[in-house]
Amino acid sequence: MEFDISKPYCRYFSEMLQIPHGSFHEQAVSDWVVAFAKEHKLRYVQDEMGNVVVYKPASEGYEKHEPVILQAHLDMVCEKLAEVEHDFTVDPIQTEVVDGWLQAKGTTLGADDGTGVSYMMAILADSNLKHPALECAFTVQEETGLTGAMNLKKEYFQARRMINLDCGADGTTMTTTAGGVAVTLQENYIMEAEKKQGYTLRISGLLGGHSGGNINKERANANKLAARTLWRYLKEQQAVQLVSIHGGNKENAIPRDCVVVFASEAQEEQLQSITQAVWKEVQREYADSDPSIQIELTKMETQTKMMTLEETRSLIQCLVLLPSGLQASSMVIPGLPMASMNLASIHLEGGECVIHYSLRSALESWLDQMSDRLECAAEVFGFRMTVSNRYPAWAYRADSPLRETFAKVYETMTGTALKTGASHGGTECGVFCQMFEEMDIVTCAPQAEGAHTPQERLNLEAFDRTYTILTGLLENL
Ligand SMILES: [Zn+2]
């Protein structure tokens, strides 16, 4: 199967690949949508961030039908293989077709969410389709915190039902996505000048993974394992003084490694045997869910600056007590996390300690509750706490007329039942629910894999099939 640009959605996608459109660099692609709207004599608004909403009147006979929003984001995640030369601010995405899949040559493809953008343009351009009045929202900065969507104004929209073209996959529509918030805890410690033997405690080999999709898989958190080991030294009367901690990098990833430097006058064998004991316990606990964990202690050079014994003890106790991982599961949707806290990173250097958390839940009250727990911990242990990047949840709705219609249409068209999915990740659906409480949403997207990685690829057969289903759905709205 080829990437056939005689099909309008393939042509629009191929045009889009020529225009660099990483997050925060969407002006050109936003202007491209505006030029398209002008060319097709469609009413549009473009805001100062680059969000564009294009309006298309109902087709003949659909004038009395309720309008519907179609929605996709213009920005893409820019990732490439180390050996590939590619400047995402200038270079077009180079593609190839392998076994019926469209993929980029060593970079992300941007099928997330170029497919949704192309579908909307193909629908807007086609005067033979049947549909109610359409409000097509092309948003910016989705991948960096849904900030484009959050800037949309209520008055842009009349519709109270929406088809999101960014999540789910072939034959699966999503029914809920999480909201989230980032929390940062900070504290400064006095570094004493002393001379003591240095040690490196290294936690590595963990599976990690996305903190939305993998938080319920009982994987270990490297930061928590480090805290647990450090506490055991103290518990077994081995005095240690912290020098530095570096665990985890990305807010949306479960930390896979943590490196702690500390100073101690304890006997090395004592420290080693405690480390080994903790490692054995951990191996047993995670044998099924995270089987390659390493915990190693190595001697290093003498340290000359370190935290006091007392403050070290306080910080270690704090790290042991800080909550992390899955907090609650949905009882309606099996396997779906309801609330989670990812202790994403700890960085201690030169006496300055910074801890990053990402909290997720489909219920706003859970986000508040988890944030409160951290606030209490911060108060007890003397941390300053800041809360940022809050984005709203799309809560599950048992009664969804739009989902019912979609299920009927899907079954009629394909002979198979539409599946429903649920995600613990954040999407723009939540932003639209926050804007209009009564918003009824389904999602419709073709099968693609490896989003946000250079392995991203789009199934071309699914790209065709999903377009047919999408236009079939519009005809029945
Ligand atoms: Zn996306």
Side-chain angles (χ1 to χ4, degrees):
M1 172 137 207
E2 283 309 301
F3 183 51
D4 177 3
I5 60 165
S6 70
K7 296 167 187 163
Y9 44 92
C10 290
R11 192 177 71 245
Y12 290 120
F13 188 34
S14 119
E15 277 182 34
M16 193 178 176
L17 293 170
Q18 305 307 307
I19 309 166
H21 58 277
S23 306
F24 300 109
H25 297 95
E26 301 103 335
Q27 196 56 48
V29 80
S30 168
D31 292 343
W32 169 68
V33 175
V34 166
F36 163 91
K38 284 180 178 161
E39 185 195 325
H40 290 85
K41 303 200 164 37
L42 296 165
R43 189 164 65 87
Y44 69 91
V45 285
Q46 181 183 35
D47 72 9
E48 65 289 352
M49 281 183 83
N51 293 308
V52 184
V53 184
V54 183
Y55 304 88
K56 188 182 181 192
S59 58
E60 211 184 311
Y62 283 72
E63 296 85 350
K64 295 234 164 80
H65 295 214
E66 290 288 315
V68 62
I69 297 169
L70 296 180
Q71 188 257 321
H73 62 88
L74 288 168
D75 61 318
M76 67 178 278
V77 171
C78 300
E79 287 286 339
K80 65 178 192 71
L81 296 175
E83 66 270 23
V84 172
E85 291 238 355
H86 187 93
D87 181 348
F88 279 101
T89 63
V90 199
D91 301 334
I93 303 288
Q94 305 288 338
T95 60
E96 57 190 350
V97 177
V98 180
D99 298 331
W101 294 78
L102 182 71
Q103 61 192 45
K105 296 180 178 170
T107 69
T108 36
L109 174 64
D112 172 13
D113 188 18
T115 54
V117 170
S118 321
Y119 279 171
M120 286 198 289
M121 292 176 104
I123 289 166
L124 287 166
D126 189 343
S127 51
N128 295 318
L129 295 175
K130 294 178 184 165
H131 55 75
L134 302 177
E135 303 171 351
C136 293
F138 301 80
T139 56
V140 296
Q141 294 173 33
E142 188 271 349
E143 301 287 4
T144 48
L146 316 177
T147 28
M150 286 197 231
N151 197 58
L152 290 168
K153 292 177 186 65
K154 274 183 137 175
E155 54 266 33
Y156 295 165
F157 305 102
Q158 298 297 316
R160 295 295 180 267
R161 52 184 182 164
M162 175 169 110
I163 305 170
N164 165 283
L165 304 173
D166 183 33
C167 52
D170 236 6
T172 302
T173 191
M174 303 304 281
T175 57
T176 169
T177 58
V181 66
V183 173
T184 304
L185 302 173
Q186 276 171 288
E187 166 72 308
N188 291 294
Y189 298 99
I190 298 157
M191 296 297 276
E192 292 188 315
E194 279 195 67
K195 264 198 174 147
K196 283 180 185 167
Q197 178 60 50
Y199 289 93
T200 304
L201 171 66
R202 189 182 298 273
I203 317 288
S204 61
L206 283 69
L207 286 170
H210 191 270
S211 61
N214 299 113
I215 204 78
N216 59 350
K217 299 205 170 128
E218 294 298 334
R219 293 181 182 173
N221 178 312
N223 295 330
K224 294 298 290 182
L225 293 184
R228 173 174 172 176
T229 314
L230 291 167
W231 171 248
R232 287 285 282 277
Y233 299 145
L234 299 185
K235 189 177 165 184
E236 300 189 24
Q237 315 302 330
Q238 309 299 314
V240 300
Q241 288 172 265
L242 286 168
V243 176
S244 68
I245 304 178
H246 292 285
N249 283 315
K250 285 188 169 173
E251 243 167 64
N252 62 4
I254 300 167
R256 286 185 290 128
D257 34 53
C258 182
V259 178
V260 181
V261 174
F262 65 84
S264 178
E265 282 173 336
Q267 297 269 326
E268 193 193 351
E269 307 92 83
Q270 292 288 339
L271 294 172
Q272 290 290 7
S273 93
I274 296 167
T275 313
Q276 289 294 318
V278 175
W279 188 28
K280 279 217 177 86
E281 293 166 12
V282 167
Q283 282 177 302
R284 207 171 309 132
E285 287 170 22
Y286 291 95
D288 303 320
S289 59
D290 209 340
S292 306
I293 299 170
Q294 301 288 323
I295 303 181
E296 300 156 280
L297 181 72
T298 46
K299 219 167 165 175
M300 59 186 293
E301 69 268 20
T302 304
Q303 296 296 307
T304 54
K305 283 246 154 146
M306 59 203 71
M307 281 168 57
T308 64
L309 277 168
E310 224 169 60
E311 288 194 328
T312 292
R313 190 176 185 85
S314 162
L315 178 54
I316 292 173
Q317 286 176 329
C318 174
L319 298 180
V320 167
L321 284 169
L322 279 178
S324 181
L326 186 64
Q327 305 294 306
S329 294
S330 167
M331 287 288 110
V332 180
I333 302 162
L336 178 71
M338 173 56 80
S340 71
M341 310 175 76
N342 183 40
L343 175 47
S345 69
I346 303 175
H347 291 282
L348 171 71
E349 189 68 65
E352 194 191 6
C353 184
V354 183
I355 299 172
H356 286 294
Y357 261 98
S358 67
L359 314 182
R360 295 169 188 268
S361 177
L363 287 180
E364 302 292 327
S365 60
W366 253 112
L367 290 179
D368 293 335
Q369 187 198 162
M370 293 188 291
S371 175
D372 287 349
R373 290 181 191 173
L374 296 181
E375 199 175 328
C376 292
E379 206 176 299
V380 171
F381 290 97
F383 279 80
R384 300 181 299 285
M385 171 165 146
T386 43
V387 173
S388 58
N389 300 338
R390 184 152 178 157
Y391 57 89
W394 168 25
Y396 178 77
R397 184 174 152 164
D399 157 55
S400 162
L402 184 57
R403 194 168 69 226
E404 260 169 54
T405 306
F406 191 13
K408 270 186 212 141
V409 170
Y410 187 84
E411 194 155 355
T412 310
M413 290 181 79
T414 67
T416 53
L418 179 68
K419 292 195 277 285
T420 55
S423 163
H424 195 46
T427 63
E428 291 168 312
C429 300
V431 181
F432 279 83
C433 287
Q434 191 182 44
M435 219 178 334
F436 305 104
E437 214 187 325
E438 67 273 37
M439 189 63 79
D440 189 6
I441 302 175
V442 294
T443 75
C444 180
Q447 187 189 0
E449 293 177 353
H452 305 186
T453 75
Q455 286 76 39
E456 183 182 9
R457 59 182 196 155
L458 167 67
N459 185 290
L460 288 171
E461 208 188 310
F463 196 31
D464 288 348
R465 191 166 53 238
T466 304
Y467 187 74
T468 310
I469 288 162
L470 176 61
T471 49
L473 171 59
L474 290 176
E475 199 175 325
N476 285 281
L477 290 183

